[in-house]
Amino acid sequence: IVFFAGQALETAAADSARLIMTGQAQSSGYNQAAFKNAVCAKIYGLFDCAGGLIVDVKNYSSFASIDTSKPITNGVANLTAGYSPGGPGDIVVVRLMYQWPVYVSLLGLNLSDNGNNRLLMSTVAFRNEPYGG
């Protein structure tokens, strides 16, 4: 089920990022809460979206400066949410993160990576289209 949840998160990230890439989110005046609601509408009850999903949107000066690693240090997740969707032509990264509880390890395989949780993370990096904003 962890794999299925990860795939659902990937799909939601790709679909939601398109709102920013095409300028729909910026033109509609989305703030962080409105964008998170748009993401949650695509997840269909698999996650505790309101209470557990972290949505982080940042813009960058170059693709080379993007850090795509999981924000885990010494087994502790450092999850921060921000919302900076940029403008036309800006480089943007949308990250969706969710702490999936791991209750049982099967055949000695422990899926947790921080405490008793597995950090599921989907990252989408793109350049905004030259919309009229």
Side-chain angles (χ1 to χ4, degrees), residues 39-97:
V39 172
C40 289
K42 299 182 180 307
I43 295 185
Y44 309 119
L46 184 59
F47 301 90
D48 171 15
C49 197
L53 185 70
I54 305 295
V55 178
D56 185 41
V57 178
K58 292 183 181 152
N59 58 35
Y60 290 86
S61 58
S62 71
F63 283 104
S65 64
I66 297 171
D67 180 10
T68 59
S69 63
K70 282 188 175 182
I72 298 175
T73 305
N74 297 325
V76 177
N78 179 20
L79 306 179
T80 57
Y83 186 72
S84 181
D90 286 350
I91 297 170
V92 180
V93 173
V94 173
R95 293 191 314 169
L96 304 183
M97 298 171 279

Side-chain angles (χ1 to χ4, degrees), residues 2-3 9 30 43 52 83-84 93 117 124:
V2 172
F3 175 76
L9 202 62
Y30 277 26
I43 295 185
Y83 186 72
S84 181
V93 173
N117 296 307
V124 181

